[in-house]
Amino acid sequence: MATTPAAKLERWQRFRANRDTALAAPHGWLTLTSFQWLADSPAAVDLAPGLWSADGTTAELTAVPADGLSLVDSGEPVAGTIRATLDDEESLLWVRSGGADGDQVVVELAKRAGKYAIRTRDAASPVFTGFRGVPTYAYNPAWEITATYHPYPEPVDVPIATANPLVDGVHRTAGEVVFRVPGSGHEFRLQAEEEQLGALTLTFHDGTNGDTTDDWRKLSAPRPRPGADGTATVVLDFNRAINYPSAFSPYGTCPMPVRNNSLDVRVEAGEKLPFPPDTAPAAAEPEGQGREA
């Protein structure tokens, strides 16, 4: 039985409500207030107490009780030196401090491009406290497109840039989706990554970037289904195109689209710029910081 237009609209509205709720989670992406590389000897950092360092293998924090730091996972106060080890691309919500309950600021430890960094997540960030939902284009069923999926025999790692110019990334391309879009007479082929349970992620540019949308967006699609003729198909619902965290904050390392993942049409569907032009919250950006996930 075919899904009615009203039911599709209702499902999209639920998707949007869940998306905005997730973004507004405590100490989520909207609370980022800094991204700082750790030095190789103990040193103070901005917006968090204690002395921080990393040797390339292990990160280290030294604090005294007066610093008011405690571990995020256990609430145990930090007094003395603690250490943590991460693999590349891993993150850890490590310690917290400040505010009436000692948890206004959470410090995230991250390892990017083989180096350790911290990000501070402040519940008093104006991006977080002023959040009222992400602006979007109106739902348009014409942007729900059926594509064919052509998997590669094996995934191919493709070097990419990220929102932080000092951090390189890798796109593990699982295959290509092939489709046509409204307003274009030719075919598009976009490289996709495979996620859990075979779902696909497409990171793409289009003609709205820098005008009504951020510099790039991403779209999650369900697992492709084989048809009667053996061709795998997947539904690309661009109404569900979303921003990376880098659209909301200058403090991250979100992956950019792989080369040629660009649509030479305006994809007027999905999320728009989270802030109108010239109204984005000002943020100091020390050398080496960038935008993320």
Side-chain angles (χ1 to χ4, degrees), residues 23-97:
L23 280 171
H27 298 111
W29 295 119
L30 302 183
T31 65
L32 293 179
T33 52
S34 75
F35 177 100
Q36 304 169 71
W37 298 110
L38 297 186
D40 56 9
S41 57
V45 298
D46 294 332
L47 307 180
L51 299 176
W52 303 73
S53 63
D55 62 7
T57 301
T58 303
E60 187 172 285
L61 164 63
T62 300
V64 298
D67 288 326
L69 286 165
S70 62
L71 295 174
V72 169
D73 59 356
S74 67
E76 181 182 351
V78 178
T81 298
I82 60 174
R83 298 173 181 85
T85 301
L86 300 177
D87 291 330
D88 208 31
E89 298 302 316
E90 285 189 334
S91 293
L92 168 69
L93 298 182
W94 199 13
V95 295
R96 62 188 185 181
S97 67

Side-chain angles (χ1 to χ4, degrees), residues 1-289:
M1 183 175 179
T3 305
T4 66
K8 289 183 177 182
L9 174 60
E10 184 180 354
R11 288 197 306 199
W12 178 76
Q13 290 169 335
R14 288 200 303 268
F15 167 80
R16 289 303 325 156
N18 291 336
R19 163 72 169 160
D20 286 338
T21 297
L23 280 171
H27 298 111
W29 295 119
L30 302 183
T31 65
L32 293 179
T33 52
S34 75
F35 177 100
Q36 304 169 71
W37 298 110
L38 297 186
D40 56 9
S41 57
V45 298
D46 294 332
L47 307 180
L51 299 176
W52 303 73
S53 63
D55 62 7
T57 301
T58 303
E60 187 172 285
L61 164 63
T62 300
V64 298
D67 288 326
L69 286 165
S70 62
L71 295 174
V72 169
D73 59 356
S74 67
E76 181 182 351
V78 178
T81 298
I82 60 174
R83 298 173 181 85
T85 301
L86 300 177
D87 291 330
D88 208 31
E89 298 302 316
E90 285 189 334
S91 293
L92 168 69
L93 298 182
W94 199 13
V95 295
R96 62 188 185 181
S97 67
D101 298 323
D103 63 354
Q104 176 178 321
V105 178
V106 166
V107 183
E108 171 197 0
L109 180 68
K111 194 173 187 182
R112 299 291 184 268
K115 300 195 304 181
Y116 281 98
I118 62 165
R119 279 193 290 235
T120 51
R121 297 172 177 247
D122 191 339
S125 163
V127 178
F128 177 66
T129 58
F131 181 66
R132 300 295 181 269
V134 185
T136 71
Y137 285 100
Y139 176 77
N140 183 350
W143 281 106
E144 185 176 319
I145 298 166
T146 299
T148 57
Y149 178 58
H150 304 270
Y152 295 162
E154 295 290 338
V156 177
D157 287 343
V158 181
I160 57 171
T162 74
N164 186 319
L166 299 183
V167 177
D168 294 328
V170 173
H171 184 279
R172 174 151 286 191
T173 304
E176 297 180 345
V177 291
V178 181
F179 57 98
R180 295 180 183 272
V181 301
S184 175
H186 61 87
E187 196 173 70
F188 292 100
R189 304 181 72 94
L190 297 186
Q191 296 181 39
E193 288 188 292
E194 189 171 275
E195 307 298 341
Q196 291 183 351
L197 302 178
L200 302 178
T201 295
L202 298 169
T203 301
F204 66 96
H205 293 293
D206 73 89
T208 66
N209 296 161
D211 176 18
T212 56
T213 66
D214 195 42
D215 293 340
W216 66 91
R217 294 180 289 169
K218 72 174 179 177
L219 174 65
S220 295
R223 181 177 181 175
R225 295 183 176 181
D229 62 355
T231 302
T233 62
V234 60
V235 175
L236 307 179
D237 187 354
F238 285 94
N239 293 288
R240 299 190 179 210
I242 64 172
N243 295 317
Y244 273 100
S246 53
F248 304 93
S249 169
Y251 306 116
T253 56
C254 290
M256 290 184 179
V258 68
R259 186 177 181 181
N260 297 327
N261 263 29
S262 297
L263 304 176
D264 60 359
V265 295
R266 292 178 62 86
V267 179
E268 295 184 335
E271 290 187 351
K272 295 182 176 181
L273 285 164
F275 312 107
D278 303 322
T279 66
E285 189 168 331
E287 181 180 356
Q289 295 187 170

